[in-house]
Amino acid sequence: MRSVVCTRPGLMELEDRETPTCGSGEALLRIRRIGICGTDIHAYGGNQPYFSYPRVLGHELAGEIVAVGDSRDQALVGQNASLIPYLHCGECRACRKGLTNCCQRMQVIGVHRDGGMCDLLAVPTVHLIPSASLSLDQLALMECLAIGAHAVRRSELDSDSLAVVVGAGPIGMGVVQFARENGARVVVIDPSEQRLAFCRETLGIELTLNPTQEDPVEFLAGISDGALADVVFDASGNAHAMQKGFDFVGHGGRYVLVSIVKSDITFNDPDFHRREMTLLSSRNATREDFDRVASLMAAGRLQETAMITHRAELAEVPEAMPRWCAPSHGVIKAMVHLAPSA
C-alpha cells in the first residue's frame, strides 16, 4: 500500500509498505480523509517535542471500516468512522481517574507511532466513532475540534466570562466555537488579517485584534472596565505569544495553554500571585469531547467544513506540504483525499 513518510524534518516521501492486517480487538480502516494540523506542520518543521523520525504522519482521520478482527464487531464493516488517535494504557493512575487524554504511557497515532497517511491502518475498534450521518470531511475534523472542546471544558468557562483566544488556526477556531457555545463573550487575537476576517465573517466573532497594530492589554482593558480576561486560551504555537498571554489574564482568571512548543515558558511570579491566576495545560481530548463535537456537528451548530481551504491527493502531499506550511499560502485547514478504490 501507499504511505507518505516524513523521513526527516522538511522531507516527505511516498513509499510502498506492507498492507496491515487486523488482530483481535482491531479494525482495518481504509483511509479516505486526512486533516493536516499544527502537530503535522511542527513535525515536518522539526519543532514537535514528542516526535521521532522517520514517521508516517496523520492523526485527523476518517475512513471506511473494511475488516474487523473479531466476529462480534462484524456490523462495523462498511461503516464510515472517525478515529480517536490517543492510545491510552487503561492502567495508569491518570487512566483510572478517567483522564485518558494524558495517560502516563500515551501513544498518539501519527506522533509516537505511524499514522494515517496511508491507504489502510489497523486501529483498536474501541477508538472508532462510526457515523451514518456525518460526511467524511466532518469525521476527519472531529479530532481537531475535540481539542478545542476539551480546552473549553477544562477551563470551566461560563456565560458571564470574557474569553480571549490567541491564535486563529484550526485549533483556535475550535476553541472559539466552543467558547461561544458556552455563552462567553469572545475576543480573537492573531496577526493574520485573513484569519481574523474568517473569524468575523464565518464564525461570527465581532471582537478581533491584530497585535501588530493594537495593544491587546489596552484593548481588553477598554472592553472590560479594566478587568481584562476571565479566561485566556493560547493556541498560537508561539513561545513569545504564550508568555505574552499572561498579561491578558485578569484577577482570579485562568490561562489555558492549548499550544505546545519546544521551549521554556516563564512568568513573573509576583504578578502571577497578585492576580491569583490559575495556569492550566490542555492535552488531547476524551471520548466525552468527541461525543460533544459529533452532537454539535449533527445539529449544524459548528462551521467545521468552512475551515477547509486547501485539498490534495495522498501522492501529492510531499510536494504540497512545503506550501501548506508557508503563511503566504493562507492555509487554514488542508485536507488530504484518498479515492474510494485506493
Side-chain angles (χ1 to χ4, degrees):
M1 68 169 185
R2 300 173 302 167
S3 293
V4 172
V5 185
C6 187
T7 54
R8 58 176 172 80
L11 180 63
M12 302 184 83
E13 298 179 301
L14 186 66
E15 297 182 0
D16 285 324
R17 290 196 170 188
E18 185 176 349
T19 300
T21 58
C22 55
S24 179
E26 291 185 325
L28 195 62
L29 190 67
R30 185 180 298 279
I31 304 299
R32 296 285 304 281
R33 297 287 190 278
I34 308 159
I36 303 298
C37 86
T39 297
D40 300 317
I41 290 172
H42 291 154
Y44 179 77
N47 301 312
Q48 218 290 336
Y50 302 137
F51 205 81
S52 60
Y53 305 86
R55 179 68 69 225
V56 178
L57 303 180
H59 62 276
E60 296 183 2
L61 304 175
E64 179 189 356
I65 303 167
V66 295
V68 291
D70 297 319
S71 58
R72 66 175 181 271
D73 297 322
Q74 192 62 35
L76 292 172
V77 175
Q79 296 191 53
N80 289 336
S82 181
L83 175 70
I84 301 176
Y86 323 122
L87 305 183
H88 59 279
C89 72
E91 299 175 353
C92 70
R93 184 170 178 82
C95 285
R96 294 198 306 270
K97 293 168 65 178
L99 304 175
T100 55
N101 60 297
C102 58
C103 167
Q104 289 177 242
R105 293 183 281 275
M106 175 66 70
Q107 292 283 295
V108 179
I109 291 171
V111 178
H112 303 96
R113 61 173 65 185
D114 284 344
M117 280 195 186
C118 56
D119 288 317
L120 294 157
L121 186 68
V123 298
T125 306
V126 295
H127 283 253
L128 290 169
I129 304 177
S131 175
S133 60
L134 298 178
S135 70
L136 288 166
D137 282 349
Q138 288 177 306
L139 291 169
L141 290 167
M142 282 186 68
E143 193 272 345
C144 168
L145 290 169
I147 297 289
H150 183 76
V152 171
R153 180 164 65 89
R154 185 154 164 71
S155 75
E156 300 180 351
L157 185 70
D158 59 35
S159 60
D160 192 40
S161 296
L162 174 61
V164 173
V165 180
V166 182
I171 297 296
M173 290 179 184
V175 174
V176 165
Q177 294 184 71
F178 285 97
R180 185 178 55 191
E181 278 294 317
N182 280 30
R185 188 184 185 195
V186 181
V187 178
V188 179
I189 299 177
D190 195 280
S192 167
E193 289 295 337
Q194 176 215 7
R195 294 193 173 196
L196 293 179
F198 183 93
C199 289
R200 291 190 300 269
E201 297 164 9
T202 303
L203 302 185
I205 302 302
E206 296 180 2
L207 299 172
T208 63
L209 174 73
N210 186 329
T212 67
Q213 299 176 6
E214 293 184 74
D215 183 333
V217 174
E218 289 184 6
F219 178 87
L220 294 172
I223 64 171
S224 65
D225 294 326
L228 301 178
D230 298 296
V231 182
V232 175
F233 299 91
D234 182 88
S236 69
N238 180 282
H240 175 75
M242 293 167 78
Q243 293 199 180
K244 189 67 177 174
F246 284 90
D247 296 338
F248 309 157
V249 184
H251 286 244
R254 297 179 296 284
Y255 189 18
V256 185
L257 298 180
V258 190
S259 294
I260 182 169
V261 293
K262 289 177 68 173
S263 59
D264 294 335
I265 303 299
T266 63
F267 56 86
N268 180 269
D269 188 55
D271 192 46
F272 183 78
H273 276 78
R274 180 173 59 86
R275 303 189 196 194
E276 198 180 48
M277 192 186 305
T278 300
L279 178 62
L280 298 166
S281 64
S282 181
R283 186 184 184 195
N284 299 330
T286 66
R287 182 171 285 272
E288 177 181 351
D289 303 308
F290 277 81
D291 288 343
R292 178 158 168 74
V293 171
S295 176
L296 290 177
M297 278 185 174
R301 296 190 61 85
L302 303 178
Q303 298 293 324
E304 69 280 352
T305 56
M307 296 192 301
I308 302 173
T309 55
H310 293 66
R311 296 179 184 267
E313 208 280 331
L314 181 68
E316 299 170 334
V317 170
E319 181 181 350
M321 197 69 171
R323 297 196 304 272
W324 290 344
C325 293
S328 60
H329 282 267
V331 176
I332 294 177
K333 170 64 69 176
M335 185 68 70
V336 180
H337 289 232
L338 284 79
S341 60

